[in-house]
């Protein structure tokens, strides 16, 4: 196998999307108790419940790029990073809606929240590329 496989591109793009998500604000909260509405941006770096799975996803995706020689292990690591990305989506929704409502705030998504579903789609495409390579290698093994 070579490192120039299409799943490597998908995994790299998912890693870039998650790295951008780590440094930009993913939401905005508005305090409803004050007369002039005060807004505050919410960053991933300050929410440890979101920072840990997002950073673990980035690390797993970096490791996963270089596992091109062991496709079953690459598929397993990519599946784990996909689950962590889905966990990040759930935590973002929890923080912006449940926790903000409980504290008397109104929360909004930002445009950058689209990075998480994009990362999920790219990881699923990467899994499809790995599956296609495994099928191709199995067909070559049958011909021998």
């Amino acid at each position: 196998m070579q490192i120039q496989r299409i799943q490597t591109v998908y995994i790299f793009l998912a890693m870039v999307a998650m790295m951008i998500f780590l440094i930009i604000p993913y939401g905005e909260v508005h305090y409803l108790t004050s007369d002039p509405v005060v807004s505050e941006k919410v960053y991933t770096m300050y929410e440890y419940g979101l920072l840990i799975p997002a950073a673990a996803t980035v690390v797993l995706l970096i490791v996963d790029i270089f596992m091109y020689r062991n496709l079953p292990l690459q598929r397993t690591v990519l599946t784990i990073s996909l689950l962590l990305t889905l966990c990040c989506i759930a935590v973002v929704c929890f923080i912006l809606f449940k926790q903000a409502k409980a504290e008397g705030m109104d929360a909004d998504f930002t445009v950058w929240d689209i990075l998480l579903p994009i990362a999920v789609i790219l990881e699923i495409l990467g899994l499809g590329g790995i599956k296609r390579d495994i099928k191709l290698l199995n067909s070559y093994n049958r011909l021998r």
Side-chain angles (χ1 to χ4, degrees):
M1 304 286 352
Q2 296 177 353
I3 198 167
Q4 291 90 8
R5 297 305 220 185
I6 190 68
Q7 67 262 20
T8 305
V9 175
Y10 293 144
I11 293 169
F12 177 75
L13 291 175
M15 179 196 63
V16 168
M18 290 300 292
M19 288 176 83
I20 292 172
F21 178 75
L22 280 172
I23 59 174
I24 58 160
Y26 65 88
E28 189 172 3
V29 293
H30 310 285
Y31 295 98
L32 301 176
T33 56
S34 60
D35 273 339
V37 177
V38 179
S39 296
E40 182 180 320
K41 295 191 183 296
V42 183
Y43 288 90
T44 306
M45 296 175 284
Y46 303 123
E47 297 287 337
Y48 293 118
L50 183 59
L51 177 65
I52 292 171
T57 302
V58 170
V59 169
L60 284 176
L61 290 172
I62 290 171
V63 168
D64 201 31
I65 289 174
F66 298 104
M67 290 187 159
Y68 58 91
R69 292 196 185 272
N70 190 351
L71 288 177
L73 184 60
Q74 186 182 30
R75 181 175 56 191
T76 303
V77 171
L78 190 56
T79 304
I80 292 169
S81 67
L82 175 66
L83 292 174
L84 283 173
T85 306
L86 291 172
C87 175
C88 288
I89 291 174
V91 170
V92 164
C93 291
F94 174 76
I95 289 172
L96 287 181
F97 292 112
K98 292 288 188 180
Q99 187 176 3
K101 296 287 184 192
E103 295 178 7
M105 296 182 274
D106 188 27
D108 293 325
F109 286 110
T110 61
V111 172
W112 296 104
D113 285 332
I114 194 73
L115 289 173
L116 287 175
I118 287 173
V120 168
I121 291 169
L122 289 169
E123 289 169 352
I124 290 171
L125 289 172
L127 283 171
I130 293 170
K131 183 179 177 183
R132 187 172 51 249
D133 280 353
I134 289 173
K135 278 182 159 180
L136 182 66
L137 286 174
N138 287 339
S139 70
Y140 286 158
N141 287 338
R142 278 193 303 267
L143 291 175
R144 287 186 205 170

